[in-house]
Amino acid sequence: MIGSLLIANRGEIAVRIMRTCRRMGIRTVAVFSDADRDAQHVAYADEAVRIGPAAARDSYLRAEAIMEAAARSGTDAIHPGYGFLSEKPDLPLLCRQAGRIFVGPSAECITAMGPKIGSKLIAEKAGVPSVPGYAGDDQSNAALAEAAARIGYPVMIKASAGGGGKGMRRVFTAAELLPALDMARAEAQAAFGDPALLIEKLVMRPRHLEVQVAGDKHGNVVHLFERDCSVQRNNQKVLEEAPAPHLAPAIRGKLLERGVALAKAIGYDNLGTVEFILEDGFDEPWFLEMNTRLQVEHPVTEAITGYDLVEWQIRIAAGERLPALQPDIRESGHAIEARITAERADQGFRPDTGRIEGYAEPASIRIDSGVKAGSEVTLFYDSLLAKAIAAGPDRATACARLAAGLRDFAILGPATTLPFLIDAVEHPLFAGGKATTRFIEEAFPDGWTAKRPRQRLARAVAALLWLEKQKAARPNVDAWNSLPGFRLLAPAGGVATSRLIAEEEDEATKLAIRLLPDGRRRVGDADGEIELALRTGPESFELAFEDRILRGSHATAGGGIRLTLDGETFDIGIGSEARPAAATGGGGAGSGAVLAPMPGVVAEIRVAPGDKVEAGQIVAVLESMKLFTSLSAGVDGVVADIACQPGDTVQAGKRLVLIEPPSA
C-alpha cells in the first residue's frame, strides 16, 4: 500500500484527496505556487513544497517541478487531481522512470484517449459512434473552414488536448469561423500547451451524459452508472447529478455498454469518465471524449454507490484488484452537485477576484472546498471555490436539500454564483429533470439577475452592523452621539437618530436609523421604515423581523459591510450622510473608453495610437482564469491612447484603450 502521496494540484480537489488519505493513514504532501503560499490545501497537508511562481505554466504545469518536489519529500506516489497535468502522459512516464506510483491510468491510456481527435478514431474502431465532425491532422484554417462547410453550420470548435470549456467556441456562420479559430487556439495553447482543434456538428438541444468507469491492472473493467451534466455556462458544468433523470432504460443500457466497451478497448487501468451527448428527443448517444482522470463531479457517484472513488484510485494504482466487480455494484437514491465559482452570474458569469472575508459552510450537506476565510481568489487559476453535494432517497428530496444548503452557505468577498445556483435548482425546468445544455438561456432568456427580495432589509442590517463596529472600535464613545451626521432627537433615555448613506454599485440610498428606548431599531428610507432587533457575533448575526428570526454572516469590507441574508449576498458601503456618494465611471456601450470587464492579464493589444477603428472591431484580448475575452471598440474613431501592454495585470474597470470619435 502507498505510504505517502504528493498531490500535484491545488484547491478543493487537493483537500478532498487529502481527506481520503488521512482516513487511510497515508502521509500527504502539497505543492504550491507563490500565489498559494497560504492556501487551504497547503495548511491541510502534512508537508508542502514550493514549485514556482504564480502563473500555472511556471508551477502546476511543470512536470519536472512536481517530480523534484516528490523527490525532496520522499513520497511513494503522485496524484494529479484534475486539470493541470492530469491528462498528459508526462507525469506517469516520469513516475515510471523514477520508480514512483502514478495514481491514475497508464501513460499509454492517456496518450490514446487524451487528444479528442485520437479518441474519436479509437471509439469508431470499438463500435462507439461519435458526433459527426472533423478530427484530421491538417490544422490549417483552410482545412478547418472546408470541414465546417462540409459538416454544415452551426458547428462547435473544440481544443483536442483538454476540457473544462477551454478552447471551445460555437460558430453559426462562416464569417465567424476564423476569429473563433484564433481565440480557440490561443486558449488551447495557454491551458494545455497544444493548439490542435477539432470541429463537430453543433447539437442544438443536447443532454450531456457520462459514464463513470474503472479498470485495474488485472483486466477488470466496470461502470459505476451514469451522470447528467447538462446544466452548463460557457461550456463548463454548473450542476451535475446521478443518476440521469428521465433516461429511458434502452438509452441507459447503450450508455453503460459503450462506456465499458471503450475502456476495455484500451485496457483502461484506473478511474475515468466516458462522455456522451444525446440530442433531446432522440435515443442514440454520441461519444464526445474520455476524461482519463477523476471528474469534478465524482461526489454524486460516491453518494449513490457508497464508494470512495479516490480510495479506488489509490488501491488500483497500488496494484490491487477493483474493490468491487459489476454484479456487486449497486446504486441507491439520487445526488446533485452544484459548483460554486467566483463569478458574477448577473454579468454573463464574469470572473471575480479578491479576499474572502467571511466563510461558513452549511452543516446539512457535503461541501468539498479549497478556501476559507482569508483565502485570496486570484486571476491565475480556475474560478471554482467549492462544491455543494446533496443526496436523498429521490430526486425531489435531493433538490430541496441542495437549495436549503446553498441558502445556508456564506462566502463573503468576491462575487459567487450561490444566488444563481439557488434559482437554477428551484427553476421548473431543472426541478422537473428536463434540462439540456441550453438550460440557462431557456430558463433565463434575458440573462440571470438577482431577485434580491431582502435588499431593503439587508441595507438596514448593514447600517446597524456598521454602527456596532464603529462603537466597538471606540468603546468609550457612544457612536450614536459622536459620529459625523449624528444628532440626538430626544432627551437622554429618549429616541436617537443617525443619518447614513448605503452604497451598492451605482446606487446610493439615504437611511435614517432610530434607536428606540427598548433597544429596537427603526431604519427609514424613501419607501418607509423597517423595525427590527439585531444580535451580533464576530461573524454572524440574528435578526428579529416581522415575527421571524433570520440568521446570516457578516464581515467588514473596506468602508462597508458584506453580509449574507436568506440565501443572498450583499456588499454594501456605509458612511455618514455628510460623505458624498462614490462617483460612477463611464465606458459603457457607445463610449470611447475600452474597459477591462473583469480582473485579468492583457493577452493582446491589436491596435496602435493613431489607428482608425470601427465600432465592434476587436482592439484587445484579456485573459482571466484561463479564458480569453475579446474587447471591442464601442465607437468609430481613432485610437488616442493605450494604457497597457501585453502581460500587464489589470483590475476590473481599468481603461485599456481610449478611442476618440471623429469630431463633428
Side-chain angles (χ1 to χ4, degrees):
M1 174 53 70
I2 293 169
S4 57
L5 180 68
L6 181 144
I7 298 91
N9 217 294
R10 65 180 301 280
E12 61 86 17
I13 186 54
V15 175
R16 187 264 168 275
I17 293 167
M18 292 173 193
R19 285 177 177 156
T20 290
C21 289
R22 281 192 177 181
R23 183 175 56 78
M24 297 177 69
I26 298 172
R27 183 174 71 93
T28 58
V29 176
V31 294
F32 65 92
S33 71
D34 290 343
D36 278 342
R37 171 61 185 83
D38 299 316
Q40 178 79 331
H41 74 281
V42 174
Y44 200 84
D46 296 310
E47 183 181 343
V49 180
R50 178 186 178 273
I51 54 171
R57 64 180 175 272
D58 299 323
S59 51
Y60 296 102
L61 285 171
R62 291 179 60 225
E64 65 277 11
I66 301 298
M67 296 305 298
E68 289 170 8
R72 288 171 60 190
S73 57
T75 50
D76 303 326
I78 296 176
H79 194 307
Y82 45 68
F84 294 132
L85 295 170
S86 64
E87 291 186 278
K88 293 179 179 293
D90 309 49
L91 268 184
L93 286 173
L94 290 172
C95 283
R96 187 183 299 170
Q97 295 169 11
R100 285 190 166 79
I101 296 171
F102 179 75
V103 183
S106 67
E108 290 74 20
C109 287
I110 295 175
T111 299
M113 300 307 291
K116 294 184 180 71
I117 292 174
S119 66
K120 287 179 177 293
L121 299 176
I122 293 172
E124 183 180 348
K125 291 180 181 178
V128 179
S130 298
V131 179
Y134 173 79
D137 293 332
D138 189 344
Q139 289 287 301
S140 66
N141 283 350
L144 295 173
E146 181 183 346
R150 184 175 64 254
I151 295 165
Y153 291 97
V155 297
M156 174 73 86
I157 299 170
K158 289 185 178 181
S160 176
K166 311 315 189 282
M168 296 180 68
R169 290 290 188 278
R170 292 182 178 187
V171 180
F172 291 89
T173 67
E176 301 173 9
L177 183 65
L178 294 184
L181 289 174
D182 289 343
M183 296 298 292
R185 281 197 186 98
E187 282 186 1
Q189 180 65 45
F192 315 116
D194 183 352
L197 304 174
L198 58 88
I199 296 182
E200 294 175 344
K201 180 67 179 174
L202 178 61
V203 182
M204 294 304 295
R205 290 187 53 79
R207 291 181 68 179
H208 190 125
L209 306 172
E210 59 188 35
V211 179
Q212 177 70 66
V213 296
D216 61 22
K217 302 180 188 302
H218 306 279
N220 300 303
V221 176
V222 299
H223 69 75
L224 290 93
F225 305 103
E226 84 286 352
R227 298 184 286 256
D228 188 317
C229 308
S230 297
V231 178
Q232 303 177 10
R233 56 87 177 92
N234 299 331
N235 300 310
Q236 292 182 304
K237 298 165 186 173
V238 175
L239 295 169
E240 303 109 334
E241 57 185 306
H246 308 310
L247 193 63
I251 299 175
R252 190 183 207 208
K254 289 180 181 179
L255 275 175
L256 302 180
E257 178 184 341
R258 291 173 182 179
V260 171
L262 192 57
K264 286 182 175 179
I266 59 169
Y268 200 71
D269 58 352
N270 207 270
L271 263 70
T273 299
V274 185
E275 301 200 357
F276 296 87
I277 198 165
L278 177 69
E279 178 73 69
D280 191 30
F282 290 76
D283 61 2
E284 193 68 41
W286 281 329
F287 169 71
L288 273 180
E289 61 182 321
M290 184 174 187
N291 291 317
T292 51
R293 55 170 168 80
L294 192 68
Q295 290 281 89
V296 179
E297 57 270 21
H298 74 274
V300 295
T301 297
E302 294 181 326
I304 67 167
T305 63
Y307 296 118
D308 182 330
L309 298 190
V310 172
E311 180 179 349
W312 275 48
Q313 287 188 294
I314 292 171
R315 293 191 179 280
I316 293 168
E320 297 183 22
R321 293 182 180 273
L322 289 177
L325 296 178
Q326 201 66 66
D328 302 318
I329 299 173
R330 300 281 188 271
E331 62 173 336
S332 177
H334 202 97
I336 307 174
E337 173 182 291
R339 301 190 189 189
I340 296 104
T341 54
E343 295 175 337
R344 288 288 303 262
D346 59 338
Q347 295 182 12
F349 296 92
R350 172 181 66 77
D352 203 10
T353 60
R355 180 182 174 86
I356 295 178
E357 305 291 349
Y359 182 86
E361 295 179 357
S364 58
I365 60 175
R366 171 179 169 177
I367 301 295
D368 285 7
S369 173
V371 296
K372 62 185 186 301
S375 294
E376 289 287 342
V377 180
T378 73
L379 54 85
F380 295 107
Y381 312 117
D382 189 88
S383 61
L384 181 65
L385 303 179
K387 304 180 307 196
I389 305 99
D394 52 55
R395 189 172 187 275
T397 302
C399 279
R401 288 176 178 172
L402 181 58
L406 292 172
R407 282 195 167 86
D408 290 337
F409 201 165
I411 303 177
L412 301 174
T416 76
T417 50
L418 278 166
F420 161 78
L421 290 168
I422 295 168
D423 285 352
V425 170
E426 294 182 334
H427 193 280
L429 272 178
F430 183 81
K434 299 178 180 178
T436 69
T437 58
R438 296 185 62 187
F439 167 77
I440 293 179
E441 61 189 273
E442 291 178 347
F444 310 104
D446 298 322
W448 178 83
T449 55
K451 299 184 181 72
R452 304 181 80 76
R454 296 294 189 190
Q455 190 167 27
R456 285 189 69 219
L457 186 58
R459 285 195 203 106
V461 172
L464 298 182
L465 288 170
W466 187 80
L467 289 171
E468 289 291 334
K469 290 179 184 294
Q470 297 299 316
K471 187 173 183 180
R474 304 174 68 187
N476 297 321
V477 179
D478 187 347
W480 291 92
N481 296 323
S482 64
L483 291 174
F486 284 59
R487 60 193 179 93
L488 286 173
L489 296 186
V495 179
T497 297
S498 65
R499 301 188 182 280
L500 304 177
I501 292 181
E503 298 176 352
E504 299 167 84
E505 295 188 346
D506 58 352
E507 180 181 359
T509 303
K510 293 183 178 181
L511 301 176
I513 300 96
R514 300 170 61 195
L515 174 63
L516 304 182
D518 60 2
R520 291 173 298 124
R521 273 83 163 166
R522 285 182 182 165
V523 181
D525 58 18
D527 296 319
E529 285 189 324
I530 299 173
E531 186 171 307
L532 64 156
L534 191 70
R535 293 180 180 177
T536 62
E539 297 178 350
S540 62
F541 62 85
E542 183 179 275
L543 169 69
F545 169 72
E546 293 182 349
D547 297 325
R548 295 181 62 192
I549 301 294
L550 300 174
R551 296 179 178 86
S553 300
H554 66 91
T556 301
I561 300 292
R562 284 175 173 151
L563 62 90
T564 63
L565 180 62
D566 207 16
E568 297 181 75
T569 301
F570 299 87
D571 198 343
I572 303 173
I574 299 291
S576 164
E577 185 177 353
R579 188 188 66 168
T584 58
S591 168
V594 179
L595 309 182
M598 65 196 79
V601 176
V602 178
E604 292 182 59
I605 296 294
R606 297 190 177 182
V607 292
D611 286 356
K612 292 183 179 180
V613 297
E614 298 178 352
Q617 179 180 334
I618 297 174
V619 297
V621 178
L622 189 69
E623 180 185 1
S624 183
M625 295 182 176
K626 297 188 285 185
L627 292 174
F628 287 77
T629 301
S630 298
L631 307 180
S632 303
V635 296
D636 295 341
V638 176
V639 176
D641 180 52
I642 296 176
C644 61
Q645 59 184 356
D648 285 356
T649 298
V650 297
Q651 296 301 314
K654 162 76 174 178
R655 178 175 64 76
L656 307 182
V657 178
L658 180 63
I659 298 167
E660 192 173 277
S663 62

